[in-house]
């Protein structure tokens, strides 16, 4: 999930609170960042969002992916595209249960200078799974190829089982896929237009039967080569969650190892991962979202109630599990209250929200209950998004902000039971102004049809408590819009659009 897959160093355009706008300070002259999700090479980040449960040509859960392109004015609805296995140039055909879009990521696989869209088809061939690519180009995404097929029931391309990164330092992007039961497969790039890999294939096993929940990459020890991190659990239980990693070297990936806690045991992990240098010390850190609570191992996982987010610093040696910091909605500075089932820690992503040069954590809270002031918990599982501020001392919860809900002023729609707003989140600079914009998926919206919200950033001046104008970045309410099946022209029923973004 490459060089800080989820780590945008531009200021994320997000500062809406439940009760209104919270203005956050910006940094003048922010350094430019790589626009990773630019499929047509125009300098603006594009947005790909999946509905793996979507119906295509009457085939339930065949799955599709919607794409909107960035521009100087932000995402453009007029340039939307929809891809499935029925699309021209994409191999195969849509079948019930294929779940095209079960995982998404982006990379320039063929080294032509355009970002390509990598798509997991986790239900293909009865659950064996398939990986496909839709090629980027000057006119956008078109054509495609199959990259890899799974063996019986191994779920190749399912959610959390896909990443990309240069793990041997040769300058080509490698394809990283998780296989439950034995670990990780690294397929060396670059790839030809037929989908064939030109590099070597490496299989790295771990010592236990494992189920991979999420993958991400980053340079944990600062040696200039990408490392791979996995959130794992045992195949026979969901209770023992752990964090595994493989060092990248010029000879490929090293054997599997774990992040250890202060007692010398495996550090309690979670289901969601992001990797990036939060404290700006030159080493990528591991951020883990443990959104699922209620298991016995919660007793060994500090602040597990309602979900938590862990920060584990990278070092010149191993990731330092002893120095971990864990926060939940009961932590000082973090808005809200920790309640069982909130899902705090869902789809963690990294972005510099307040423009101070430190990566912050953007995370969904899709189980958050909302409602009017007279009955604040009257709408179950409506959902929210929270930002945790990164600092030189890590991720303490100080300075954090409740970002947005459907009850926030200027946000289209209204909080409804089961919307799961924040079920997936995405950050990307869609209008090229150096500020990362936010997309939020609500897969439960409209009885499971799903929808997506796009928030555009802008800089403005606000008045500080001392009466002095201060530059700030905020979400511009007049730049917020929502889109779904009406725009995409897709079948809405139970599609759960917004379940997955290409991050």
């Amino acid at each position: 999930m490459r060089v800080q897959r989820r780590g945008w160093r531009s200021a994320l355009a997000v500062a809406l609170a439940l009760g209104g706008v919270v203005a956050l300070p910006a940094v003048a002259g922010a350094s430019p960042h790589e626009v990773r999700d630019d499929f047509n090479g125009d300098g603006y980040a594009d947005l790909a969002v999946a509905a793996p449960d979507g119906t295509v040509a009457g085939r339930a859960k065949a799955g599709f992916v919607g794409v909107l392109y960035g521009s100087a004015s932000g995402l453009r609805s007029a340039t939307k595209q929809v891809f499935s296995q029925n699309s021209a140039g994409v191999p195969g055909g849509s079948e019930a249960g294929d779940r095209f879009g079960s995982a998404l990521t982006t990379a320039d696989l063929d080294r032509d200078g355009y970002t390509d869209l990598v798509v997991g088809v986790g239900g293909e061939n009865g659950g064996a799974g398939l990986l496909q690519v839709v090629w980027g180009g000057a006119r956008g995404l078109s054509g495609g190829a199959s990259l890899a097929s799974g063996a019986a029931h191994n779920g190749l391309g399912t959610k959390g089982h896909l990443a990309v990164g240069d793990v041997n330092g040769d300058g080509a992007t490698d394809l990283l896929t998780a296989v439950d039961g034995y670990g990780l497969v690294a397929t060396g790039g670059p790839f030809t237009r037929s989908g064939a890999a030109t590099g070597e294939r490496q299989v790295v096993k771990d010592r236990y039967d494992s189920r991979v929940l999420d993958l991400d990459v980053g340079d944990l020890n600062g040696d200039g080569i990408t490392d791979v991190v996995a959130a794992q659990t045992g195949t026979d239980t969901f209770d023992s969650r752990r964090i595994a990693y493989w060092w990248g070297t010029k000879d490929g990936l090293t054997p599997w190892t774990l992040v250890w806690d202060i007692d010398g045991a495996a550090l309690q992990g979670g289901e969601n991962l992001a990797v990036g240098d939060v404290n700006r010390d030159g080493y990528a850190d591991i951020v883990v979202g443990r959104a699922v609570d209620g298991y016995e191992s919660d007793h060994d996982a500090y602040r597990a109630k309602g979900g938590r987010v862990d920060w584990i610093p990278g070092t010149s040696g191993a990731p330092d599990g002893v120095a971990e910091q864990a926060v939940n909605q009961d932590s000082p500075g973090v808005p809200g209250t920790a309640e069982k089932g909130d899902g705090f820690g869902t789809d963690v992503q990294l972005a510099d929200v307040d423009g101070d040069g430190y990566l912050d954590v953007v995370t969904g809270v899709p189980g958050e209950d909302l409602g009017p002031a007279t009955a604040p918990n009257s709408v179950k599982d409506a959902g929210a998004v929270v930002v945790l501020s990164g600092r030189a001392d890590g991720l303490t919860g100080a300075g954090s902000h409740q970002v947005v809900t459907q009850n926030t002023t200027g946000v289209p729609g209204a909080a409804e039971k089961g919307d799961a707003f924040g079920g997936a989140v995405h950050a990307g600079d869609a209008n090229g102004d150096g500020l990362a914009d936010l997309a939020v998926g609500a897969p439960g919206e409209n009885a499971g049809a799903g929808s997506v919200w796009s928030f555009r950033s802008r800089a403005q001046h606000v008045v500080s408590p001392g009466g002095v104008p201060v530059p700030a970045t905020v979400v511009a309410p007049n730049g917020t819009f929502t889109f779904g099946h009406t725009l995409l022209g897709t079948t809405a029923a139970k599609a759960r659009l917004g379940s997955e973004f290409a991050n």
Side-chain angles (χ1 to χ4, degrees):
M1 281 173 234
R2 72 227 192 199
V3 178
Q4 292 189 356
R5 164 188 149 188
R6 292 170 173 151
W8 293 84
R9 289 197 175 276
S10 54
L12 174 64
V14 177
L16 283 175
L18 284 176
V21 173
V22 176
L24 304 176
V27 169
S31 60
H33 63 272
E34 179 188 9
V35 181
R36 286 201 53 264
D37 299 327
D38 183 7
F39 302 125
N40 58 2
D42 63 358
Y44 303 104
D46 308 315
L47 180 71
V49 58
D53 288 344
T55 297
V56 178
R59 295 171 175 85
K61 296 187 178 182
F64 59 84
V65 177
V67 177
L68 269 63
Y69 289 85
S71 72
S73 57
L75 293 175
R76 294 182 294 164
S77 59
T79 59
K80 57 88 164 109
Q81 290 179 292
V82 177
F83 294 95
S84 70
Q85 287 186 295
N86 279 357
S87 298
V90 178
S94 294
E95 300 171 312
D98 276 353
R99 306 196 79 246
F100 182 88
S102 54
L104 296 175
T105 192
T106 61
D108 182 4
L109 292 185
D110 59 352
R111 302 180 78 172
D112 67 349
Y114 295 98
T115 300
D116 309 309
L117 178 63
V118 185
V119 184
V121 194
E124 183 81 11
N125 294 329
L130 176 69
L131 288 179
Q132 297 189 303
V133 59
V134 184
W135 299 112
R139 297 185 178 180
L141 293 167
S142 64
S146 293
L147 300 171
S149 298
H153 308 298
N154 73 10
L156 181 70
T158 55
K159 184 177 178 67
H161 285 198
L162 174 63
V164 292
D166 181 8
V167 298
N168 59 5
D170 67 354
T173 298
D174 306 313
L175 188 64
L176 306 168
T177 55
V179 178
D180 287 342
Y182 63 84
L184 188 69
V185 178
T187 305
F191 290 77
T192 69
R193 296 290 284 197
S194 69
T198 62
E200 295 182 356
R201 183 176 185 268
Q202 182 184 12
V203 178
V204 193
K205 299 183 179 182
D206 64 33
R207 71 187 71 168
Y208 306 119
D209 284 342
S210 299
R211 180 157 63 102
V212 171
L213 305 174
D214 201 7
L215 287 175
D216 205 347
V217 302
D219 186 359
L220 299 174
N221 59 0
D223 67 353
I225 300 179
T226 301
D227 310 306
V228 184
V229 185
Q232 293 184 334
T233 188
T235 56
D236 58 345
T237 176
F238 196 64
D239 199 17
S240 179
R241 281 159 281 180
R242 53 186 179 257
I243 306 160
Y245 62 95
W246 298 262
W247 295 118
T249 74
K250 291 183 178 180
D251 297 318
L253 295 171
T254 64
W256 168 100
T257 190
L258 290 177
V259 176
W260 306 105
D261 68 13
I262 195 170
D263 297 319
L267 184 71
Q268 282 287 331
E271 309 83 39
N272 307 290
L273 278 176
V275 177
D277 188 4
V278 172
N279 62 353
R280 294 184 62 184
D281 66 353
Y283 306 106
D285 311 315
I286 301 172
V287 176
V288 181
R290 184 186 177 97
V292 180
D293 62 341
Y295 282 83
E296 185 175 341
S297 61
D298 287 357
H299 297 296
D300 298 319
Y302 181 61
R303 295 194 183 278
K305 183 179 180 181
R308 75 173 191 181
V309 173
D310 262 26
W311 172 77
I312 302 151
T315 72
S316 59
D320 190 356
V322 176
E324 70 152 335
Q325 295 173 357
V327 298
N328 71 353
Q329 287 187 287
D330 282 343
S331 299
V334 180
T337 301
E339 300 168 312
K340 185 176 180 179
D342 277 350
F344 180 84
T346 296
D347 198 10
V348 289
Q349 298 212 26
L350 298 179
D352 183 0
V353 173
D354 51 14
D356 64 357
Y358 292 95
L359 295 176
D360 309 306
V361 179
V362 183
T363 186
V365 196
E368 186 84 349
D369 297 341
L370 300 171
T374 54
N377 295 320
S378 63
V379 182
K380 287 187 64 62
D381 300 336
V385 175
V386 168
V387 175
L388 304 169
S389 294
R391 302 151 58 100
D393 56 353
L395 191 70
T396 66
S400 301
H401 302 270
Q402 188 94 21
V403 180
V404 66
T405 76
Q406 284 191 73
N407 283 350
T408 302
T409 302
V411 176
E416 299 170 310
K417 181 179 179 181
D419 279 349
F421 183 88
V425 293
H426 176 271
D429 185 6
N431 61 357
D433 64 355
L435 308 174
D437 307 307
L438 179 69
V440 178
E445 179 78 8
N446 296 330
S451 194
V452 177
W453 277 255
S454 172
F455 300 93
R456 187 187 309 166
S457 61
R458 72 175 184 189
Q460 72 173 28
H461 284 84
V462 297
V463 177
S464 72
V468 180
V470 178
T473 56
V474 296
V475 169
N478 61 0
T480 300
F481 71 95
T482 184
F483 68 91
H485 300 280
T486 299
L487 170 65
L488 298 177
T490 48
T491 301
K494 300 180 179 180
R496 297 188 64 79
L497 178 68
S499 297
E500 182 89 357
F501 290 104
N503 291 309

